[in-house]
Amino acid sequence: MTTKISVETADGRVFESVYAYGVTYRSSVLEHIPGRDLAGHIENVMNMDIRDDDMYLASYQKSGTHWVWEIMNMLRKRSAEYERKVKDSAMLDMLTMEKAEQMNSPRILNCHYPPKLIPKQILKKKIKIVHVQRNPKDVCVSAYHHIASFSPYPGVKTFGDFLPFMLGTNGIDFFYPWCQYVKEWESFSKKHPEQILNLYYEDLKEDPVREIQKINEFLNTGCSAELISQISQACDFSNLQRADTEVKEMDFFKSRGKNPMYRKGEVGDWKNWFTVAQSEQMDAWLQTNMAGSQLSFRYTL
């Protein structure tokens, strides 16, 4: 069941959101969700038909999904040519089941949902999952800029205004509690180690050839070292930005101007936005909420 949430902050700002199965969206996002029914759509995704040759890309929002999706497509096609369709054309979060069914095989499906909400047949059919994760400070900064440029929260004018949504201190989370999300995938990985490849955004940035080779081996795509080097170059951030303008078919974001999915793509940009006090606040939040986790995130390279 989809629940509507209305929260008023101490300074009088009112935030309207919708919530289902732990997932939270701003009310305005409902217009992009099939049937304008968050709970119903999540249930449709969980129960959708999965093909034997599907591949699945999982990540928290703003963690490198576009980047890795493009890499996976190139590996699948054994070509460093860009996919003309945008990643959103295969994003289950806002894709109708009819459109998913119309996609040509093999599909590279992508989704931001936590593991408990992924299609059930992925487990049954042992579909391979590539999961990419990124340090939460850079995720937070990227999320702030995405919100600011695409669909602003009322009254959120500064990074300091947005930070409480990442920390959940306003009573509303940005999408899904980040710590809970990564810990749930960590638990999933321990139970199904043969089915999932966990990548770190920072590792991919540091040595893309090495990490692309990991994906190549995991997916058994059989690409040569030379092609992997070409894919690494094609998927450099500046080249992906160019391809988004020159190659990709028109999509929702292009119809509104510059695509907010590509901003800097850097590791450590959080230092330009967090104050010392804000950084310490997030550190304390992580210490409390990541207790028991063996995950280790890098914040600089």
Side-chain angles (χ1 to χ4, degrees), residues 199-264:
L199 301 173
Y200 285 94
Y201 184 101
E202 294 77 23
D203 292 348
L204 191 56
K205 192 74 177 179
E206 179 182 62
D207 192 338
V209 169
R210 179 192 65 205
E211 300 304 302
I212 294 171
Q213 177 60 28
K214 287 181 183 178
I215 305 173
N216 178 50
E217 292 175 359
F218 177 69
L219 297 178
N220 296 317
T221 40
C223 294
S224 67
E226 180 181 4
L227 178 55
I228 287 173
S229 179
Q230 293 172 358
I231 291 172
S232 172
Q233 181 62 32
C235 292
D236 176 79
F237 188 82
S238 59
N239 288 333
L240 284 178
Q241 279 187 311
R242 177 184 57 78
D244 185 69
T245 301
E246 300 177 4
V247 178
K248 296 294 184 180
E249 296 174 353
M250 183 63 68
D251 73 331
F252 172 75
F253 294 115
K254 284 187 177 183
S255 68
R256 297 193 171 200
K258 184 180 178 182
N259 190 338
M261 297 300 179
Y262 296 99
R263 192 179 68 89
K264 284 188 174 182

Side-chain angles (χ1 to χ4, degrees), residues 9-268:
T9 61
D11 59 1
R13 289 176 293 164
V14 177
F15 298 92
E16 304 286 347
S17 298
V18 291
Y19 174 92
Y21 292 102
V23 173
T24 303
Y25 285 116
R26 300 176 309 288
S27 293
S28 60
V29 177
L30 270 184
E31 65 180 282
H32 307 299
I33 295 175
R36 298 178 61 88
D37 178 6
L38 178 58
H41 181 63
I42 291 174
E43 290 160 6
N44 287 339
V45 169
M46 293 172 67
N47 295 311
M48 71 179 288
D49 289 330
I50 292 295
R51 303 170 190 167
D52 292 341
D53 59 356
D54 282 342
M55 301 175 188
Y56 190 84
L57 172 60
S59 74
Y60 194 84
Q61 292 188 16
K62 314 311 297 179
S63 297
T65 326
H66 282 75
W67 187 11
V68 178
W69 187 78
E70 198 73 53
I71 289 170
M72 290 175 66
N73 270 286
M74 290 183 178
L75 290 172
R76 172 181 62 83
K77 295 183 295 184
R78 295 183 176 86
S79 168
E81 293 184 7
Y82 299 104
E83 172 63 45
R84 287 192 58 81
K85 293 185 181 297
V86 294
K87 180 198 75 70
D88 310 86
S89 67
M91 188 177 78
L92 297 182
D93 310 51
M94 298 180 184
L95 189 69
T96 67
M97 295 302 98
E98 291 76 17
K99 288 186 177 179
E101 186 59 34
Q102 291 167 7
M103 292 172 62
N104 294 327
S105 292
R107 302 180 299 185
I108 299 180
L109 305 171
N110 69 96
C111 191
H112 297 306
Y113 291 167
K116 64 187 178 185
L117 303 181
I118 67 174
K120 297 173 185 176
Q121 289 185 14
I122 284 181
L123 273 176
K124 182 178 179 180
K125 296 189 174 184
K126 300 188 183 302
I127 300 302
K128 294 207 171 171
I129 302 169
V130 175
H131 172 230
V132 58
Q133 49 200 337
R134 186 183 191 185
N135 83 72
K137 292 183 179 179
D138 278 327
V139 168
C140 186
V141 169
S142 184
Y144 162 67
H145 284 282
H146 175 87
I147 293 297
S149 62
F150 170 50
S151 183
Y153 286 160
V156 174
K157 297 181 180 179
T158 68
F159 175 71
D161 291 334
F162 176 75
L163 181 59
F165 291 96
M166 188 72 178
L167 305 181
T169 52
N170 271 340
I172 300 177
D173 287 290
F174 170 71
F175 177 59
Y176 194 87
W178 183 87
C179 295
Q180 182 178 336
Y181 184 93
V182 296
K183 288 173 73 174
E184 287 177 2
W185 275 111
E186 181 184 20
S187 177
F188 178 96
S189 300
K190 291 177 180 178
K191 294 176 182 176
H192 309 280
E194 74 291 339
Q195 195 175 347
I196 187 168
L197 173 66
N198 289 290
L199 301 173
Y200 285 94
Y201 184 101
E202 294 77 23
D203 292 348
L204 191 56
K205 192 74 177 179
E206 179 182 62
D207 192 338
V209 169
R210 179 192 65 205
E211 300 304 302
I212 294 171
Q213 177 60 28
K214 287 181 183 178
I215 305 173
N216 178 50
E217 292 175 359
F218 177 69
L219 297 178
N220 296 317
T221 40
C223 294
S224 67
E226 180 181 4
L227 178 55
I228 287 173
S229 179
Q230 293 172 358
I231 291 172
S232 172
Q233 181 62 32
C235 292
D236 176 79
F237 188 82
S238 59
N239 288 333
L240 284 178
Q241 279 187 311
R242 177 184 57 78
D244 185 69
T245 301
E246 300 177 4
V247 178
K248 296 294 184 180
E249 296 174 353
M250 183 63 68
D251 73 331
F252 172 75
F253 294 115
K254 284 187 177 183
S255 68
R256 297 193 171 200
K258 184 180 178 182
N259 190 338
M261 297 300 179
Y262 296 99
R263 192 179 68 89
K264 284 188 174 182
E266 297 177 356
V267 176

